[in-house]
Amino acid sequence: MKRILYVVLPIFAFVLIFTNAFFGHLIFGLPYEQDINKYSIYVHLQEEWNSYPGNILFDITNVWSNSNSDQNVYSTDPSDITSLINYNSNQLQSQNGKSYVELKHEFSNCESSWKPMLYRLAIDSLRNKIEFVKGAQLNDDPYITILPNMGIEKQTASESYVQFIPICTSHESTSYEFSVSINDKNSWFDVYFVNSEKQLEHYLNSEIFHYYSGDECSAQNYQSFSGECNNVGNNSGLLIIIPDNLEQSLTKVKVNLHEKL
């Protein structure tokens, strides 16, 4: 079965890419009527960090139900950043006295969305099917990711980097399924679904921070995790905590958020 897929899938992808050469202006109809926000957050750690000169890249996909979905829709390949991405300014920030630079672009604002051109959908679908066959992903969808829960033996870290990833929603209360993974096999993450970015400040100030209490709303000491959190407020998001022990020059953290209909 695997051998057949490895032959059929490249052929399938080639046909879609070839078709796109003639109909590149068409946007492929997605199997769900929701908006896609794809963006990245790049974090450059300064000399105060144990992980220096390492960097962290958060690759985020947020699929959600936008009541104004006809506005600000981009169909360009997001890898071509010259015409549609406006980056925020590089500002030096700090956590617990340790500085870093954060850079992200406009797709994080929940006001613009992205739909893949045909060839991009073919590439993403092929990549997804390979991951699905390998067992690295549990569902067959290029933009809604369910990962196997891969925990490690309980670890503690005296210092960490913390990132808040907001949700997008047009409702006062909603439900989200999410997944997080890290590509550093010697590290891990903790993740909490919190009610607002204010909880990031509480955590950094060593105060009690509050998060949703559902069984799948949080996880500690994982390298890959998927969960679902219900009845969360519209200012909610993920609080992702990464220990300051990174050894790679670039650590990639993939985050997928999906608002359930």
Side-chain angles (χ1 to χ4, degrees):
M1 180 62 181
K2 290 185 178 180
R3 291 182 179 178
I4 295 176
L5 286 175
Y6 282 126
V7 173
V8 172
L9 292 179
I11 295 175
F12 173 72
F14 175 79
V15 171
L16 288 181
I17 294 172
F18 181 80
T19 304
N20 184 71
F22 297 95
F23 305 100
H25 62 286
L26 297 178
I27 299 176
F28 196 93
L30 296 177
Y32 37 79
E33 296 182 357
Q34 291 180 291
D35 277 11
I36 300 176
N37 289 75
K38 288 183 69 69
Y39 64 100
S40 299
I41 300 176
Y42 175 78
V43 177
H44 177 59
L45 304 174
Q46 301 295 303
E47 295 180 357
E48 302 94 317
W49 297 84
N50 297 328
S51 301
Y52 177 83
N55 307 283
I56 307 172
L57 179 65
F58 293 89
D59 184 11
I60 302 153
T61 303
N62 194 345
V63 180
W64 66 295
S65 301
N66 184 3
S67 59
N68 299 314
S69 59
D70 294 332
Q71 300 179 9
N72 299 324
V73 176
Y74 295 95
S75 59
T76 309
D77 183 349
S79 63
D80 178 13
I81 65 175
T82 57
S83 62
L84 58 104
I85 294 178
N86 293 321
Y87 286 95
N88 66 345
S89 58
N90 290 349
Q91 294 183 349
L92 196 63
Q93 305 180 56
S94 66
Q95 291 186 3
N96 296 326
K98 297 189 292 185
S99 56
Y100 65 96
V101 176
E102 180 186 90
L103 179 65
K104 57 186 175 182
H105 62 71
E106 64 182 355
F107 284 117
S108 62
N109 62 10
C110 296
E111 294 179 2
S112 56
S113 61
W114 170 78
K115 290 186 178 180
M117 296 295 289
L118 187 60
Y119 78 94
R120 179 58 189 263
L121 180 62
I123 294 172
D124 290 342
S125 297
L126 175 61
R127 183 184 299 112
N128 167 261
K129 291 183 183 300
I130 292 175
E131 293 296 304
F132 179 67
V133 170
K134 291 165 56 180
Q137 186 168 325
L138 301 181
N139 66 324
D140 189 14
D141 190 300
Y143 303 115
I144 299 175
T145 304
I146 301 177
L147 301 173
N149 292 342
M150 297 177 56
I152 62 173
E153 186 175 335
K154 187 174 181 180
Q155 305 284 335
T156 58
S158 58
E159 298 178 321
S160 303
Y161 175 80
V162 190
Q163 183 72 44
F164 175 77
I165 308 293
I167 65 169
C168 293
T169 185
S170 56
H171 306 288
E172 290 295 323
S173 178
T174 188
S175 296
Y176 255 91
E177 56 185 1
F178 65 96
S179 63
V180 182
S181 65
I182 188 170
N183 71 338
D184 188 340
K185 300 303 180 183
N186 296 316
S187 190
W188 67 91
F189 62 83
D190 296 343
V191 59
Y192 301 89
F193 221 116
V194 297
N195 59 12
S196 73
E197 192 171 4
K198 189 73 175 178
Q199 302 305 326
L200 171 60
E201 298 179 22
H202 292 325
Y203 181 88
L204 293 176
N205 292 329
S206 299
E207 301 172 355
I208 296 176
F209 73 100
H210 299 281
Y211 56 93
Y212 291 101
S213 59
D215 292 341
E216 298 182 3
C217 293
S218 63
Q220 297 81 40
N221 297 118
Y222 275 83
Q223 294 179 334
S224 173
F225 180 81
S226 289
E228 181 179 324
C229 205
N230 300 313
N231 302 318
V232 300
N234 54 14
N235 292 318
S236 300
L238 296 179
L239 197 66
I240 301 176
I241 303 169
I242 301 172
D244 185 15
N245 67 346
L246 306 177
E247 299 179 353
Q248 301 181 153
S249 59
L250 180 64
T251 298
K252 295 183 179 180
V253 180
K254 291 187 177 181
V255 181
N256 187 279
L257 288 157
H258 173 225
E259 185 177 26
K260 299 195 67 178
L261 294 175

